[in-house]
């Protein structure tokens, strides 16, 4: 027994020293497992709020997205066959007002809307705005589900977005991506451009559909995809607030109301004591237009609009068109090395 007791006691003593020196050798209790789980979860970061699934967002928004089928008139005598084209649309109001792209219904002699619940109803055109590529349609149907509007101005680059539409006519589909950029312009797709860029796929037939946030709120109307070689994952949507203004103006006035100054100008750079300044050089003034009445002449150099320096052509154009006709616009100009301040009363942009 003496020979057995001594090794056992020695082993227990070594084990006790190891446990004290190295706590990881201790057996795990239920409390230890809970602590490890808490630690593991804490490694996710306290600001993690993203959902694992976006099914709730889709189920909230999908009933508001419709498929649009149009019958296009024959192109010419040599091509007398009618054509069917595909697109998507978004229910904006419970009374049956929809938004889609102008190019989806352009030239259509008949428009058919397929609702989420399977009903098919004809649609009429209330009005269009080709300059931003939007159209307002009207359908007569009960129990419609208007989409909830989001806040594109608050959306951030990197936010998750979902595109809902009818790609290639296969039926309603959802693609997922992020906001890649905001305020995209200069693409020469429309006269007025202020796109949300996303890598969510917007395929043929999905134009006019909804770009929603992770909660099912409308952020934009899906409009276009770059199809150039090497441009995979570059799609664009018209911000929902701009689209909502088009709908309101068309239903209230019959057309979109935009501010107008009545000048033609070229964008350029000019040097001054502070360095290089971005400017608009006035090339012509519309006779009887707002700027002509205020006293501007060709050759004037505009370097500020309402106190804001000229930054780029599209931002300045949007700044002017967003002014309500009848409201004053202050222009800071240089004429023969002299700075002059003009107040121009914005007019209503002529229809094109």
């Amino acid at each position: 027994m003496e020979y057995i007791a001594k090794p056992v006691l020695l082993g227990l003593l070594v084990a006790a020293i190891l446990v004290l020196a190295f706590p990881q050798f201790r057996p795990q209790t239920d409390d230890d497992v809970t602590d490890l789980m808490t630690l593991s979860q804490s490694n996710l970061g306290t600001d993690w709020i993203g959902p694992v699934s976006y099914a709730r967002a889709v189920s909230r928004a999908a009933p508001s997205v419709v498929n649009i089928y149009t019958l296009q008139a024959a192109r010419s005598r040599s091509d007398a066959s009618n054509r069917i084209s595909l697109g998507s649309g978004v229910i904006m109001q419970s009374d049956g007002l929809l938004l889609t792209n102008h190019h989806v219904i352009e030239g259509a002699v008949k428009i058919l809307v397929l609702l989420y619940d399977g009903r098919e109803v004809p649609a009429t055109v209330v009005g269009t705005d080709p300059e931003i590529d939007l159209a307002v349609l009207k359908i007569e149907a009960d129990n419609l589900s208007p989409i909830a509007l989001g806040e594109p101005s608050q959306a951030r680059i990197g936010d998750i977005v979902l595109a809902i539409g009818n790609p290639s006519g296969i039926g309603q589909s959802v693609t997922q991506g992020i906001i890649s950029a905001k305020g995209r312009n200069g693409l020469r797709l429309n006269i007025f451009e202020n796109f949300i860029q996303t890598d969510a796929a917007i395929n043929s037939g999905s134009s006019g559909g909804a770009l929603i946030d992770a909660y099912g709120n409308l952020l934009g109307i899906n409009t276009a995809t770059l199809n150039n070689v090497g441009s995979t994952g570059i799609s664009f949507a018209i911000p929902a607030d701009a689209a909502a203004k088009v709908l309101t103006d068309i239903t209230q006035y019959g057309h979109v109301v935009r501010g107008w100054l009545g000048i033609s100008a070229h964008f350029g750079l000019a040097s001054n004591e502070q360095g290089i300044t971005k400017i608009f050089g006035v090339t012509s003034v519309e006779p009887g237009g707002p700027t002509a009445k205020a006293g501007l002449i060709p050759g004037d150099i505009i370097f500020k609009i309402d106190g804001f320096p000229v930054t780029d052509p599209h931002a300045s154009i949007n700044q002017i068109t967003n002014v309500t006709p009848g409201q004053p616009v202050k222009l800071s100009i240089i004429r023969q090395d002299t700075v002059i301040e003009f107040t121009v009363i914005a007019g209503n942009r002529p229809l094109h």
Side-chain angles (χ1 to χ4, degrees):
M1 289 293 295
E2 181 179 353
Y3 293 104
I4 296 174
K6 286 183 178 180
V8 169
L9 290 174
L10 180 61
L12 290 174
L13 180 61
V14 172
I17 294 173
L18 287 173
V19 167
L20 290 174
F22 302 97
Q24 61 266 36
F25 290 148
R26 298 176 186 174
Q28 288 188 349
T29 65
D30 289 343
D31 290 339
D32 292 331
V33 173
T34 301
D35 289 342
L36 286 173
M37 291 176 64
T38 303
L39 178 62
S40 177
Q41 290 170 353
S42 69
N43 289 337
L44 293 175
T46 56
D47 59 347
W48 172 254
I49 57 174
V52 176
S53 170
Y54 300 100
R56 183 173 296 180
V58 173
S59 64
R60 184 184 183 208
S64 305
V65 182
V66 302
N67 299 346
I68 296 177
Y69 301 89
T70 65
L71 184 66
Q72 305 285 333
R75 296 180 178 179
S76 63
R77 291 182 180 179
S78 59
D79 181 10
S81 59
N82 291 326
R83 295 174 297 114
I84 296 177
S85 68
L86 308 170
S88 303
V90 181
I91 300 173
M92 301 297 290
Q93 296 180 185
S94 58
D95 61 359
L97 286 176
L98 316 178
L99 274 175
T100 187
N101 288 129
H102 168 75
H103 73 259
V104 168
I105 55 89
E106 185 178 13
V109 295
K110 186 177 180 180
I111 304 172
L112 185 68
V113 170
L114 176 64
L115 300 177
Y116 182 75
D117 59 13
R119 287 179 291 169
E120 295 182 357
V121 291
T124 57
V125 178
V126 178
T128 67
D129 182 20
E131 293 184 321
I132 198 175
D133 193 15
L134 286 174
V136 179
L137 307 182
K138 182 74 164 64
I139 61 173
E140 300 294 338
D142 298 325
N143 301 318
L144 297 176
S145 301
I147 200 163
L149 289 180
E151 299 184 44
S153 62
Q154 301 302 313
R156 300 175 299 174
I157 295 172
D159 283 353
I160 291 289
V161 288
L162 307 166
I164 308 177
N166 178 28
S168 302
I170 63 174
Q172 190 179 93
S173 302
V174 183
T175 57
Q176 179 257 331
I178 63 169
I179 294 178
S180 306
K182 295 174 64 178
R184 279 283 186 245
N185 55 55
L187 304 175
R188 297 183 179 180
L189 298 175
N190 304 327
I191 299 297
F192 299 110
E193 297 179 340
N194 183 33
F195 290 117
I196 298 170
Q197 181 183 326
T198 178
D199 63 346
I202 300 175
N203 300 303
S204 176
S206 293
S207 291
L211 187 74
I212 64 171
D213 62 20
Y215 306 98
N217 301 310
L218 182 69
L219 290 181
I221 301 296
N222 299 330
T223 298
T225 296
L226 286 187
N227 294 318
N228 300 335
V229 176
S231 59
T232 303
I234 303 178
S235 300
F236 303 98
I238 299 168
D241 48 2
K245 180 185 183 303
V246 169
L247 184 144
T248 299
D249 283 359
I250 286 178
T251 54
Q252 187 171 350
Y253 306 110
H255 64 274
V256 178
V257 176
R258 294 187 174 97
W260 177 67
L261 298 185
I263 59 171
S264 295
H266 68 265
F267 179 74
L269 301 174
S271 59
N272 55 25
E273 295 178 356
Q274 288 74 38
I276 302 298
T277 300
K278 296 178 180 179
I279 56 93
F280 280 113
V282 178
T283 56
S284 65
V285 177
E286 184 74 19
T291 48
K293 292 178 180 178
L296 270 76
I297 59 175
D300 287 343
I301 296 174
I302 302 171
F303 67 95
K304 283 186 180 180
I305 301 173
D306 274 337
F308 293 96
V310 170
T311 54
D312 69 78
H314 295 279
S316 296
I317 289 172
N318 288 332
Q319 186 180 355
I320 293 168
T321 56
N322 287 337
V323 174
T324 302
Q327 295 299 308
V329 178
K330 293 183 179 180
L331 300 180
S332 301
I333 74 159
I334 299 173
R335 180 184 295 173
Q336 296 179 351
D337 297 327
T338 301
V339 174
I340 308 174
E341 304 289 338
F342 285 91
T343 298
V344 181
I345 304 302
N348 198 341
R349 179 178 169 83
L351 300 179
H352 295 278

